Every structure is written in C-alpha cells, then in structure tokens.
Amino acid sequence: MSIRTLGRAMAAAVAWLLAGGAMVHAQQQPAVRNIVLVHGAWADGGSWQDVHRLLRARGYAVSVVQNPLSSLADDVASTRRVLDRQDGPTLLVGHSYGGAVISEAGSHERIAGIVYVAAFMPDAGESVAALTASGSPPPLRPSRDGYLFFEPSIFPQAFAQDLPAERGAFLADSQKPVAGAAFAAAASSPAWRMRPVFYVVPTEDRIIPPAAQRHWAARANAVITELRGSHAIYISQPEAVADVIDRAARAVSR
C-alpha cells in the first residue's frame, strides 16, 4: 500500500469515527434544547421555579414567560416575544389558562412541540369560558375593572390541595388576577392541530375535571401522562412534570 493510499485510508477511518461519535452524541442530546414555560391565571412565572431548575440541570435553555393576564391577545404577544428570542427549535409548555395562550402562540415557526399541563385546549371558536360553561361556577371575585380574583379561603384546597397548607395559603394571597375578557376570548387557529402534542393530566384536579382534560388530549392525539396530584401538579411534583417535558423534547427531536 502506498503512503498516499494509506493516508487516505487513515483519513477515512478518522472521519468514520468522528461521524460515529457525533451520532452517539446526537442520540444522547436531543436537538430541541430550548423550552419556554407559560403560566396560567392566578399565578406568575415564579411558579415554574422548580421545573425550571430541574430542566436547566439537564442541559436545557429554559425561558419563563411573564403574562400580563390582561387579555388573551396580550398574553399571546408576551409569549411570542419570548419565542422570538429562542435560537433554535423550541418546546412550548403551558399550565391551565396558559393552555389557551400556547394554543395561539404555538404556531410560531420555532415551535417543535407543545406540552399542556392541566391546561385548557380550546379549538377554533372556543374560549376558556365556553369550555367551563357546563360545570359549577368557580368562586371568583371580580374587581371593578373586570379582573377576576379566586376566593382566597377556597384557593388552597381547590387549586393546590397536595401542597403544604402554608404554601397553598401563600399562593392564594399572592395570586395574580386575570381579566375576565381573557377567558371570554375565542381561539382562532389552535397550534395543537399542527404540532406534536403532549398532555399531563392530574387525576386529583379540582379546577379542570380530569375527564375534560382527557377528552381534549384525545381530540388532539396527544401523548398523555397521568399523575396523581392537584391542579398545581407542576409545583407539587416538579420532578414528574420535568420528566414529561424532557421526554417530549427527546420525542420531537427524533
């Protein structure tokens, strides 16, 4: 074998080894490295703190949206503002009313998949108010300018019964009210009809009936994970919710 032929063979071997190493790395590290978390009504972005910490520890770049909760359009705009800052494929995650927000914002070109956590999933022409019309009216206390507070004395046992009483009381006292108009706004072109969808159903949810969540998830052909917990499952079981988000990121990467 000539020196030139030997050199070519060695170069080909090195290239093959490097390609193999890149393939192994790609299998270990999902292509979707960006995750955007969206909160719902009566909460703010800080409620995602533990999920944020766990996902960052797994190597994800995690952004948290701070919705004004002044209207569905304002919240979608706030979410899109954060999506515009992402540098590649992104997984969009929403809790509760945040599901209506990500259904609208999820059409953004950077979205690779959507995760609903105990979240509303309206179809075109549906609103959060319409999806809840058949149930018992929630204990809401409207302000003079149309914002809705959740009755603090009921909040801990309705929203977060699996959290310590002190934590539930703090959530009730620090709640961020939502404009009634946000609940009344209808969806236009829901992104769950065009993106891979994943859904976390808390089986002890006292805010959104689990049966309704299963129905919406099945309608969207979502990958469903059921966890025993409250509506605040992402606060009470951040590890389990982070696991679902991680699996979803890896699934859409494949």
Side-chain angles (χ1 to χ4, degrees), residues 17-18 47 70 91 116 130-131 152 158-159 182 194 221 230 233 241 246:
L17 287 171
L18 289 174
S47 58
S70 50
L91 194 70
Y116 292 81
L131 293 178
F159 195 93
M194 63 186 81
N221 294 315
S230 71
I233 191 77
V241 172
D246 183 30

Side-chain angles (χ1 to χ4, degrees), residues 144-169:
R144 292 181 179 179
D145 56 352
Y147 280 76
L148 305 175
F149 287 85
F150 200 101
E151 172 55 51
S153 64
I154 298 174
F155 189 103
Q157 284 304 309
F159 195 93
Q161 72 271 17
D162 55 353
L163 285 174
E166 184 178 359
R167 183 75 183 278

Side-chain angles (χ1 to χ4, degrees), residues 57-115:
R58 299 186 189 195
Y60 290 99
V62 186
S63 301
V64 182
V65 176
Q66 291 286 8
N67 282 323
L69 300 182
S70 50
S71 72
L72 179 60
D74 288 347
D75 295 334
V76 171
S78 181
T79 300
R80 285 183 168 273
R81 203 170 294 126
V82 173
L83 293 175
D84 286 341
R85 296 170 59 84
Q86 305 307 303
D87 60 2
T90 301
L91 194 70
L92 185 59
V93 184
H95 173 255
S96 195
Y97 159 74
V101 178
I102 65 175
S103 292
E104 293 291 293
S107 59
H108 193 284
E109 62 271 14
R110 289 192 176 89
I111 299 304
I114 308 176
V115 182

